[in-house]
Each structure stands twice: as structure tokens, then as C-alpha cells.
Amino acid sequence: MKRTKIVDIFAPELIGQEVSVKGWVRTRRGNKHVQFVALNDGSTIKNIQIVFDLEKFSEEDLKAITTGSSLHVKGLLVESMGKGQTCEVQANEFELYGTAPVESYPLQKKGHTLEFLREIAHLRPRTNTFGAVLRIRSALAYAIHTYFQNNGFFYLHTPLITASDCEGAGAMFQVTTLDVENPPRNEEGKVDYTQDFFGKTTALTVSGQLEGELGATALGAIYTFGPTFRAENSNTPRHLAEFWMIEPEIAFCDIVENMDLAEDFLKYCIKYALDKCRDDIEFLAQMYDNDLIARLEEVCNSEFVRLSYTEGIEILEKSGKKFEFPIYWGADLQSEHERYLVEEHFRRPVILTGYPKEIKAFYMKLNDDNKTVRAMDVLFPKIGEIIGGSEREESYDKLMKRIEEMNIPMKDMWWYLDTRRFGTVPHSGFGLGFERLCLFVTGMTNIRDVIPFPRTPGNAEF
Ligand code: ATP
Ligand code: MN
């Protein structure tokens, strides 16, 4: 008999049918006459209740069916009398695939803290919370691809190993096949990287943008969606050492069109999740954050505020609020500043533009004031910066001037400059941190809880 996934079992036409279900036991309870098992197979937050009649099975038979064990049950699907469920399976036969001893299975009890679950990240997908988070994460990834594919963007695969170290987005993880205990050395006594695998120093990428620009100036509009690595030693609830980034890059697109795209795209993804992951979002809302659904709907229905950095600074200065980091024109905004603008002042997402050139990357287009660049950061409630983007400097001369001013090591970057030397065009793009979007949609508050296997300083066990 074909197995029915639990997500499909609540279909009314299955009532009265023999079914075969497989999954992991969440709980077993009952009395001398009847035992109830809540079975979950990961396809949905919902469990199916299995009813074992003790006239058919002995208590001895059922003894090994403990929380965490894996089970195959065949039986009759019937309407349920119990509250909170529409149907249940009256077991006729079962097979126990694997036991999970009560003494050693770490998820024996409910109600573990998220901190504890991080220590058993290899098992936490079996909890309701992480099941919900991971299903939402998967749906969001699908929404992202769908959005771009439906809007004429091509998926460009940019390299994870790179020889350029000039993006400046963060410290990099070196990639080498040299013997780090005893590397070859040149005459000056320095490590001889010409003997390394690629004949030069390489590292894991901090962004696919520069290669994305090569794609956009050929295909017109591309997006990347892949892992990104930053060796930043910042132990915050919003930073990972390995995270996933989505980077659209669009030719013939200015900063206003770039903002329109970012806003439309974010709303699409959030709506998609609200629509397709209702049960999981409702579960998380009920468990962790009663305002979650209202906040998601509000963002979808609101028009994002568009504000210049200069105006933002004025608002922050006038706020009378005591910030941990001082605020003045020229300061890089901290998450506390971003969240003040979004959560207290405007009460909706804000897109901030026109940042001082000193605090932004070399490739951003310089405004006529010669002081600010056409950067755009999208700031979200509870998150702060969710997207960072800009219109790019398309003029070769202006770009070179910025590179020199900023002392950027461009010797290996001739290929990037070729975009400006041959058929340069106005173009724009942005980077969305996938886990920041997952944080927002799930209502989780620590980025370690929205990726299956978080990589943070000192943490790469599983
Ligand atoms: P932040 O100021 O929050 O550290 P950033 O300005 O360094 O971010 P960008 O280089 O603009 O980040 O990267 C684009 C997007 O990638 C950010 O808007 C954010 O959503 C995400 N992001 C950046 N760094 C991380 C990280 N370490 N972990 C998870 N997401 C990140
Ligand atoms: Mn940024």
C-alpha cells in the first residue's frame, strides 16, 4: 500500500479508507484500553493521531513506541471524536523502524529553550519550531526563484572561491591546499602562493556582486542565490559566518527602479509565505510572537518610506533618544538607529538613500554633491538592514578615482573594470540576506535559529 504523507491525510475523501503512514513519534499516552500516538512526518506541522486498541495489541507490543522512535502504521482512517483533530488512524498493524531510548533521546520532553536546541542542532529539525522554520525557509527560497524567473531575470551562478579581496564587505576565509604547518617559502621568507592550487591567494566569496555585474551587462538582468562567507567576529543575533545571499543586478536600471524592485520583491516573498505557510506561521506566532501575522501583513500593505540619509540623521538627532552609539552626519548607522526610524518614528519599512561616500563601497555611484553615493538600504522592523544596494558607478574615470582615493587593491580586478571599458551602462542591484528575511517572516529573533546548521565564531560542529 502506498504511503500517505500526513500533509495529505486530512483530505475528506480519505475517510473510511485503509491508509499507510510513516513518521516519528511525538508523544504516546493513554490507558489500559487504548493508547494514542501523535505521529509527525515533517510534511506539515500537524500530527496524525494513531489509535491503538489494546484488544488488538498488548502493552508489551507498544512499549518501544516512545517519543522520537520511527514508525510505520497501517490502519483505517476515521473521523475523530477528539478535540483539535479531524481524523485519526485506527491501527491494524505497525512496524517500528527504530527506537529512541527514553534515557538518551534528547528531545524526550517538550519545551526546550532555543539556546539548548542550538547545542543539539543536529536533532532540532525534529521539533515543531524548527520544522516550521525550515519549511518556511524552503518556501521563501522557492518564492525568490519564482519572483525572478517570472520577471525576466536569469539565475547566474557566481563563484564561491575568489581571488579578489577588494569588495571590502568583510573579512575573508582563506582557501588553500598548502600545508599550513609547513608552507613553501620564497627567497624573502614569505609563503610562496605561486605553489598554491590556484597559483595565488584565494578566499571564499563575501558577495557575488562583482561577477553579477558581468552577468547583468550581458544578460540584462540576473540574480544570484548562494552561500556567502564573512569571517567577521561579530557575535550578534543578525550575523552568520556562512549565510545565503540573493543579489539581483539589472542593466539600464537607476536607483529609483532599484528601490521599486526591492520593495515589490520583498512584499511578494512575504505574501507568498503568508499564503503557503499559514499553519507554520500561525504556530510560530502562537509560540513566540503574537504580533507576527499583523506585522507581516502590515509590511505587505504599507508603502515603504523613502528617506535620505541626511534626513534620517536629522530625525535621529531630534529624537531626544539616548543611543549607545553616537549619531552625527557621517556616522555608519547601527541597528538601534535603523530600528528607531522603522519601529518608532515611521512605523513601517524605510529605504534610506544618499549615504556619505566614506562609509560605502567603492562601486556606488557618486551623486552630484560629490559627498554622497546612490546607496539604498532597506530597513525592516525587528531586523534593521535587510537589503543593501545601490546604483553602480558606470563611468570608468569616476570609478578609478574612487578606487585610488580608497586605496583599493585592484591589480586582480582588471576584469571588473572591463565592464566600464566596454559598453558600460547605468545599472543597479542589491543584496538581500536570506536569513534576515527568514528571521522577519518566522518572527525568530536569533539568526542561528533560521538556518539548519549555523556557522558562527567557534561553532562548526554540525
Ligand atoms: P550589516 O551592516 O548588517 O553587517 P552589511 O552592510 O555588512 O550588513 P552588505 O554587505 O550590505 O551587509 O550585505 C547585504 C545584505 O546581506 C545585508 O543587507 C544583510 O541582509 C546581509 N548580511 C550581511 N552580512 C551578513 C551576515 N554576516 N550574516 C547574515 N546576513 C548578512
Ligand atoms: Mn549593507
Side-chain angles (χ1 to χ4, degrees):
M1 195 194 316
K2 205 165 160 268
R3 166 196 172 207
T4 304
K5 284 196 181 181
I6 294 171
V7 68
D8 298 323
I9 212 151
F10 303 98
E13 63 269 23
L14 287 180
I15 300 276
Q17 308 253 328
E18 280 289 319
V19 292
S20 154
V21 291
K22 303 179 177 186
W24 293 269
V25 172
R26 283 294 159 81
T27 56
R28 177 163 66 89
R29 60 188 177 81
N31 53 42
K32 287 200 153 44
H33 310 290
V34 63
Q35 292 274 313
F36 302 99
V37 164
L39 198 70
N40 187 283
D41 67 0
S43 62
T44 162
I45 188 94
K46 291 184 190 145
N47 300 327
I48 182 77
Q49 173 157 286
I50 315 288
V51 184
F52 289 94
D53 185 340
L54 288 188
E55 284 184 1
K56 254 188 254 170
F57 303 92
S58 73
E59 282 188 59
E60 189 59 28
D61 289 340
L62 304 182
K63 211 176 66 191
I65 302 180
T66 58
T67 298
S69 61
S70 44
L71 198 60
H72 177 193
V73 177
K74 287 183 190 165
L76 188 67
L77 190 73
V78 298
E79 265 177 84
S80 175
M81 315 284 212
K83 64 171 164 41
Q85 55 224 351
T86 52
C87 58
E88 61 193 24
V89 176
Q90 288 175 344
N92 287 327
E93 49 182 296
F94 76 89
E95 175 192 358
L96 194 68
Y97 287 125
T99 58
V102 177
E103 323 78 66
S104 51
Y105 183 57
L107 294 172
Q108 197 56 238
K109 285 188 299 239
K110 278 188 159 186
H112 289 301
T113 64
L114 294 170
E115 288 79 7
F116 171 75
L117 292 175
R118 267 172 233 149
E119 288 166 23
I120 51 163
H122 62 305
L123 290 175
R124 68 180 182 170
R126 297 214 198 155
T127 62
N128 286 329
T129 294
F130 286 91
V133 166
L134 294 179
R135 281 185 296 271
I136 293 169
R137 187 181 160 107
S138 167
L140 284 171
Y142 186 76
I144 287 163
H145 282 295
T146 307
Y147 181 86
F148 286 122
Q149 295 285 337
N150 286 347
N151 284 285
F153 288 69
F154 298 100
Y155 183 22
L156 186 77
H157 298 91
T158 50
L160 299 190
I161 300 177
T162 169
S164 71
D165 59 355
C166 67
E167 225 256 341
M172 300 178 101
F173 290 99
Q174 195 181 336
V175 173
T176 181
T177 53
L178 294 181
D179 177 1
V180 291
E181 307 269 316
N182 185 21
R185 298 197 180 266
N186 58 24
E187 281 154 14
E188 295 155 44
K190 297 216 167 108
V191 176
D192 182 8
Y193 284 106
T194 64
Q195 294 187 46
D196 203 349
F197 190 89
F198 297 105
K200 53 170 75 171
T201 53
T202 51
L204 295 177
T205 186
V206 293
S207 159
Q209 182 201 314
L210 302 185
E211 294 89 351
E213 289 184 48
L214 299 175
T217 52
L219 300 171
I222 63 90
Y223 68 105
T224 72
F225 188 172
T228 310
F229 308 88
R230 296 188 186 178
E232 48 198 353
N233 207 345
S234 52
N235 253 311
T236 81
R238 292 179 324 283
H239 290 91
L240 290 163
E242 176 180 301
F243 64 101
W244 287 64
M245 185 138 73
I246 297 97
E247 295 180 280
E249 191 70 37
I250 317 97
F252 317 111
C253 172
D254 65 16
I255 186 158
V256 175
E257 293 163 309
N258 202 21
M259 289 192 277
D260 293 343
L261 175 70
E263 180 167 346
D264 189 54
F265 165 60
L266 285 169
K267 287 176 176 171
Y268 175 87
C269 294
I270 297 164
K271 274 201 197 104
Y272 184 92
L274 274 170
D275 207 33
K276 296 284 162 50
C277 308
R278 198 72 196 191
D279 290 348
D280 288 323
I281 292 177
E282 275 171 6
F283 171 80
L284 294 171
Q286 181 204 327
M287 287 292 290
Y288 299 102
D289 182 352
N290 287 317
D291 303 328
L292 177 61
I293 293 177
R295 190 160 61 248
L296 298 181
E297 284 171 349
E298 248 170 63
V299 165
C300 291
N301 298 328
S302 71
E303 208 177 297
F304 296 5
V305 175
R306 298 184 183 189
L307 189 75
S308 76
Y309 169 90
T310 302
E311 292 169 293
I313 293 289
E314 276 166 20
I315 292 169
L316 290 166
E317 279 173 342
K318 284 193 200 133
S319 71
K321 226 176 138 102
K322 201 99 198 90
F323 294 110
E324 192 187 329
F325 292 88
I327 194 74
Y328 53 92
W329 200 96
D332 207 353
L333 295 189
Q334 303 294 324
S335 154
E336 54 172 345
H337 307 129
E338 297 171 341
R339 292 183 58 179
Y340 175 82
L341 290 174
V342 173
E343 288 166 29
E344 296 185 47
H345 191 83
F346 290 108
R347 297 179 170 277
R348 51 198 165 114
V350 173
I351 311 184
L352 215 55
T353 55
Y355 283 77
K357 63 180 179 186
E358 287 78 14
I359 58 172
K360 287 292 182 188
F362 72 93
Y363 49 70
M364 296 191 180
K365 188 177 171 77
L366 195 60
N367 281 317
D368 293 337
D369 62 10
N370 257 319
K371 274 169 40 187
T372 59
V373 288
R374 279 185 210 174
M376 50 156 249
D377 280 9
V378 182
L379 314 179
F380 255 39
K382 300 270 179 192
I383 306 292
E385 179 185 334
I386 193 163
I387 278 180
S390 69
E391 186 172 338
R392 319 305 189 189
E393 183 58 74
E394 82 266 21
S395 148
Y396 180 87
D397 292 338
K398 286 189 190 161
L399 187 64
M400 277 314 286
K401 194 158 163 258
R402 288 297 293 141
I403 287 170
E404 280 155 22
E405 277 171 13
M406 292 171 81
N407 268 322
I408 297 193
M410 290 300 281
K411 66 170 171 28
D412 296 326
M413 294 292 295
W414 56 273
W415 53 269
Y416 178 70
L417 294 170
D418 271 3
T419 55
R420 278 44 170 196
R421 291 178 61 215
F422 307 124
T424 189
V425 293
H427 63 290
S428 300
F430 60 79
L432 165 69
F434 185 48
E435 285 76 19
R436 300 235 178 131
L437 177 65
C438 292
L439 272 178
F440 183 71
V441 173
T442 60
M444 294 281 106
T445 52
N446 192 311
I447 200 162
R448 293 164 181 80
D449 297 334
V450 294
I451 186 164
F453 306 104
R455 296 290 177 258
T456 51
N459 183 11
E461 175 96 350
F462 27 56

